[in-house]
Amino acid sequence: MRRWTPYWLALPAWLWLAIFLVVPIAAMASVSLTTGNLIDGFTQTFSVSNYSDAIAKYSTQLVRSLVYGGVATVIMLVLGYPVAYWIAFKAGHRKSMFLFLLLLPFFVSFVLRTISWGFLLADDGILLGTLKGWGVLPQDFHVLATTVAVIGGLVYNFLPFMILPIYVALERVDPRVIEASYDLYASRLSTFRRVVLPLSLPGVFAGVLMTFVPATADPINAQVLGGTSNTMIGNIVQTEYLVNNDYPTASAISFTLMAVLLIGIFIYARALGTENVLEAAAR
Amino acid sequence: MPEDVPAIELDGVVKEYLAHGETVQAVKGVSLTIGEGEFFSLLGPSGCGKTTTMRMIAGFEEPTKGLVKLLGQDVTNVPPNKRDINMVFQSYALFPHMNVWENVAFGLRRKKVAEAEIKQRVGDILEIVDLTGREKRRPREMSGGQQQRVALARALVNRPRALLLDEPLGALDLKLRQQMQTELKRIQREVGITFVYVTHDQSEALTMSDRIAVMNDGLVEQLADPREIYERPASKFVAGFIGTSNLLSGTVDAVDGDLLVVRLGEHDRILVPGQAAAGDTVDLTVRPEKITISTERPEAGLSMVQGTVGELTYLGTYNSYAVALADGTEITVFQQNAIDSSTTAERGDTVWLSWRPQHSYTLS
Ligand SMILES: Nc1ncnc2c1ncn2[C@@H]1O[C@H](COP(=O)(O)OP(=O)(O)O)[C@@H](O)[C@H]1O
Ligand SMILES: [Mg+2]
């Protein structure tokens, strides 16, 4: 009987997943195939045209979201890797302090943080106002309501999710293995390229997943920091649901986004998760 | 290259670490010379500075004071990737994301050796360490002994001027360790490279080395060949650390030519070569297997002490007696197991212990 214990212990988690993930998804899937409106009611028509209509109407925002999410993820990788590297190898006994600092912003709500970024980037705010006062920037310079602001906000909000998994992977690299590389005539650069980087790839993989998916689907940054030309797919879902009450369209968009992300992740996992990259590094 | 240029020279090397705001001297001034092709061991208890010494030779640590020379050239400030020596790490430190072949080829590839030559040399070295056919394995798919041989091959394939090995057999079980000792010795003869071998296992150092530096607390206590280290330990520490030895302390009664006559108890008379004056207190040592145990008074001209047999232990090829002297000193005696496996004395018997004067040494 004892061997069943782990399953019993896992049961609450399975139930949780079933009730709060599987059921809503199934319900949404069903809603996405209905027609009608809030006043007359929705009927299950299995009309696939919800999807084709939604994609036709919002393909711009969908593509924009993927581009913003992708660009933000690349920037986070470029910014985050060195930070993770530095904390893992150079921070010494202050490691835990830096990790804490990294998590500190999470003690403030996500929306509030984004709004305060809005203040910071306001046309005549602390940053731009001061710089304009000094004459460093022209008077008509602005950041808010631009692509730069939205991507900047995404980077700012999700960066810790890139750094932490990379840090964990680097932290697990045996320092003796790095020394062995130096001992075997490798320079610093080639030690990084052939040993450290390949061994940290699982962390990079996790970091990219943990940032790209939520950044692409995020509505808050575009809403608070972006303008009318920066609408992302998350905003569309929100509007269709809460403002237009067009549940079928909102559900169809959500599923389309989910499908696109899953396919993207799958391709990405095939490219990076396999031995290919490691094999290239070994040469 | 002239014959007399040593492979490795350490000249007054000191290494200090800053730990919790305090300066710790891990190595307190080590000078030694290791010849080309020598099997040289650094032997000592854990924490005595062996690894630190070796890491300074490899270039991972810079000495606080002193010089490191390779083949007569000062390399004190040369980084490890520019030193023509390789290291075998205690934990092997194989590249986990590479297979055996790639691990072994790593150094040659960094040195931009032609691919055809790499193929040849990696193949040859894998044959020497008996790993042919396992090229595609990952380190985690191999046993400890196999990983050990990969680590060895990965270093040897570069044909370094010297190979540094930090307790390379420490993680292996006894049987495999003994097998690898023989194996290492064979490989060293075959490739003719200088080996610097770090170990805390005295029997390992004694069986494998041409010369041994016994280290204690950041200093070299004795540097000699295994026979001399064993037979003539230079200090109390070395005598105690290497094998089983008996330490005796007594007063010089008289000086008889180059022999000191030392008295312990009433019937005891120890003759030992050494320099001292009558009335001085001296420490001396004698190995358990040099002592003869008997129930009759030994012939004159031998050192002799009287005592009572305490513990008697049967150890297969020999018996071990613990004999307590009148002053409480305990002496261990090994006696070869005779054909009829009889013992000379039993627990509680009064016995004479005797040995030749030249088998005991005074200690500093
Ligand atoms: N990086 C370091 N920082 C502080 N102390 C160290 C460091 N490395 C070694 N030590 C100290 O130096 C002494 C010698 O260490 P080590 O050379 O590793 O000894 P061994 O290899 O003989 O066991 C030990 O007391 C150890 O604690
Ligand atoms: Mg050590």
Side-chain angles (χ1 to χ4, degrees):
Chain A
M1 272 305 39
R2 174 164 247 134
R3 62 207 183 88
W4 291 106
T5 311
Y7 295 94
W8 286 115
L9 289 174
L11 194 64
W14 286 117
L15 282 176
W16 178 275
L17 277 180
I19 295 168
F20 294 105
L21 187 72
V22 179
V23 173
I25 284 181
M28 282 243 303
S30 135
V31 170
S32 75
L33 297 170
T34 58
T35 36
N37 58 55
L38 198 57
I39 297 147
D40 304 330
F42 298 98
T43 42
Q44 192 79 52
T45 53
F46 298 102
S47 114
V48 187
S49 65
N50 283 345
Y51 281 84
S52 46
D53 291 349
I55 292 171
K57 197 166 164 200
Y58 294 122
S59 63
T60 324
Q61 285 82 354
L62 186 62
V63 171
R64 182 186 293 140
S65 295
L66 291 169
V67 171
Y68 283 13
V71 171
T73 302
V74 170
I75 295 175
M76 284 186 265
L77 185 57
V78 171
L79 291 179
Y81 197 103
V83 176
Y85 185 94
W86 188 86
I87 297 178
F89 294 121
K90 308 282 177 197
H93 61 278
R94 285 164 304 171
K95 237 180 225 179
S96 36
M97 188 186 81
F98 286 109
L99 288 174
F100 176 72
L101 285 181
L102 212 58
L103 294 174
L104 199 58
F106 291 111
F107 288 85
V108 177
S109 108
F110 181 78
V111 180
L112 211 62
R113 263 184 284 143
T114 313
I115 291 173
S116 58
W117 246 66
F119 281 130
L120 203 67
L121 299 180
D123 291 355
D124 292 303
I126 315 169
L127 191 63
L128 298 192
T130 314
L131 290 176
K132 283 175 187 174
W134 292 346
V136 181
L137 292 175
Q139 286 305 320
D140 59 352
F141 186 87
H142 69 108
V143 179
L144 271 192
T146 63
T147 307
V148 172
V150 178
I151 292 180
L154 291 173
V155 168
Y156 162 70
N157 276 310
F158 295 106
L159 188 58
F161 296 109
M162 179 64 89
I163 297 177
L164 286 174
I166 298 178
Y167 162 78
V168 170
L170 286 171
E171 171 69 28
R172 283 178 46 196
V173 176
D174 179 1
R176 298 281 177 245
V177 167
I178 298 174
E179 283 182 350
S181 169
Y182 291 135
D183 189 59
L184 294 163
Y185 320 110
S187 63
R188 284 178 166 279
L189 185 67
S190 107
T191 296
F192 178 74
R193 210 157 69 86
R194 313 256 169 208
V195 180
V196 180
L197 184 61
L199 290 176
S200 69
L201 279 185
V204 172
F205 182 78
V208 167
L209 278 192
M210 286 175 68
T211 52
F212 177 67
V213 173
T216 303
D218 179 67
I220 308 288
N221 283 280
Q223 191 185 323
V224 177
L225 304 171
T228 43
S229 59
N230 304 117
T231 315
M232 288 173 72
I233 201 73
N235 306 101
I236 301 295
V237 174
Q238 229 174 22
T239 312
E240 289 290 0
Y241 252 113
L242 303 177
V243 180
N244 301 347
N245 293 328
D246 187 349
Y247 301 151
T249 305
S251 303
I253 298 169
S254 296
F255 269 97
T256 308
L257 177 64
M258 222 164 89
V260 169
L261 287 177
L262 281 174
I263 292 169
I265 290 166
F266 185 73
I267 294 172
Y268 171 66
R270 283 297 292 264
L272 200 76
T274 51
E275 312 268 285
N276 297 345
V277 180
L278 297 182
E279 235 128 72
R283 238 153 271 288
Chain B
M1 187 146 306
E3 268 294 296
D4 54 346
V5 175
I8 298 167
E9 262 176 286
L10 297 183
D11 188 2
V13 166
V14 173
K15 180 66 192 182
E16 290 173 354
Y17 288 113
L18 203 65
H20 308 291
E22 267 179 73
T23 311
V24 181
Q25 276 204 333
V27 175
K28 298 181 177 170
V30 167
S31 298
L32 46 84
T33 304
I34 302 170
E36 280 239 60
E38 200 175 5
F39 196 119
F40 188 94
S41 287
L42 290 171
L43 172 66
S46 175
C48 71
K50 308 180 296 289
T51 297
T52 307
T53 305
M54 173 155 288
R55 287 172 62 81
M56 287 189 286
I57 300 175
F60 294 121
E61 308 282 355
E62 251 179 65
T64 313
K65 262 190 266 182
L67 293 181
V68 179
K69 288 185 193 169
L70 298 180
L71 298 157
Q73 295 217 313
D74 183 355
V75 296
T76 313
N77 303 309
V78 175
N81 57 344
K82 302 269 165 59
R83 293 191 191 191
D84 217 359
I85 47 183
N86 289 116
M87 181 143 169
V88 175
F89 291 82
Q90 186 161 8
S91 53
Y92 315 141
L94 298 176
F95 302 120
H97 56 301
M98 300 182 193
N99 63 29
V100 169
W101 178 276
E102 292 157 350
N103 261 284
V104 176
F106 190 91
L108 296 177
R109 280 185 170 148
R110 300 293 83 75
K111 282 207 286 192
K112 307 261 185 306
V113 173
E115 204 59 32
E117 192 186 336
I118 293 179
K119 223 170 162 167
Q120 175 75 36
R121 280 167 70 173
V122 173
D124 288 351
I125 203 76
L126 285 179
E127 198 167 326
I128 291 184
V129 298
D130 200 18
L131 282 174
T132 309
R134 304 236 152 80
E135 292 86 352
K136 292 275 174 277
R137 294 270 185 100
R138 287 283 174 86
R140 63 167 176 279
E141 299 162 351
M142 311 187 87
S143 71
Q146 288 171 331
Q147 290 186 29
Q148 165 63 57
R149 295 206 295 265
V150 177
L152 198 62
R154 185 178 69 171
L156 281 174
V157 75
N158 306 297
R159 297 182 190 147
R161 303 312 299 246
L163 190 67
L164 312 177
L165 304 100
D166 189 359
E167 312 216 10
L169 309 182
L172 306 181
D173 59 44
L174 183 66
K175 190 134 182 89
L176 195 54
R177 194 155 72 224
Q178 287 169 342
Q179 208 176 311
M180 283 301 295
Q181 285 172 7
T182 325
E183 193 80 333
L184 272 178
K185 200 62 196 161
R186 172 183 67 81
I187 290 169
Q188 196 247 349
R189 265 197 308 273
E190 230 162 274
V191 295
I193 291 174
T194 310
F195 272 37
V196 183
Y197 194 93
V198 162
T199 181
H200 66 265
D201 180 338
Q202 40 110 2
S203 71
E204 194 167 286
L206 289 174
T207 48
M208 299 174 78
S209 319
D210 295 322
R211 281 193 309 151
I212 300 173
V214 183
M215 288 187 71
N216 180 33
D217 197 20
L219 290 169
V220 173
E221 291 253 344
Q222 186 172 12
L223 202 170
D225 62 43
R227 180 175 294 273
E228 179 152 343
I229 296 259
Y230 185 80
E231 303 275 343
R232 307 205 48 169
S235 68
K236 250 185 178 167
F237 173 80
V238 178
F241 190 71
I242 310 282
T244 312
S245 51
N246 296 301
L247 294 172
L248 294 161
S249 190
T251 314
V252 178
D253 214 30
V255 181
D256 178 6
D258 51 3
L259 290 181
L260 306 174
V261 183
V262 179
R263 204 165 287 282
L264 293 174
E266 202 185 334
H267 305 288
D268 303 341
R269 194 178 117 95
I270 296 169
L271 301 167
V272 59
Q275 306 286 317
D280 289 354
T281 304
V282 290
D283 294 320
L284 58 100
T285 178
V286 55
R287 293 284 178 194
E289 66 276 16
K290 304 287 187 193
I291 301 174
T292 307
I293 187 164
S294 68
T295 46
E296 275 135 51
R297 190 185 174 89
E299 58 185 282
L302 295 178
S303 291
M304 61 187 79
V305 293
Q306 209 173 28
T308 312
V309 177
E311 233 31 72
L312 170 58
T313 318
Y314 175 69
L315 289 167
T317 55
Y318 62 90
N319 298 310
S320 169
Y321 297 83
V323 178
L325 304 189
D327 66 349
T329 312
E330 188 160 282
I331 293 203
T332 307
V333 180
F334 294 157
Q335 185 188 45
Q336 272 292 314
N337 214 341
I339 292 167
D340 60 358
S341 59
S342 63
T343 50
T344 309
E346 296 302 327
R347 193 183 159 84
D349 290 355
T350 301
V351 289
W352 287 95
L353 305 180
S354 61
W355 60 88
R356 290 165 184 274
Q358 66 267 30
H359 284 150
S360 58
Y361 303 95
T362 52
L363 298 170
S364 54

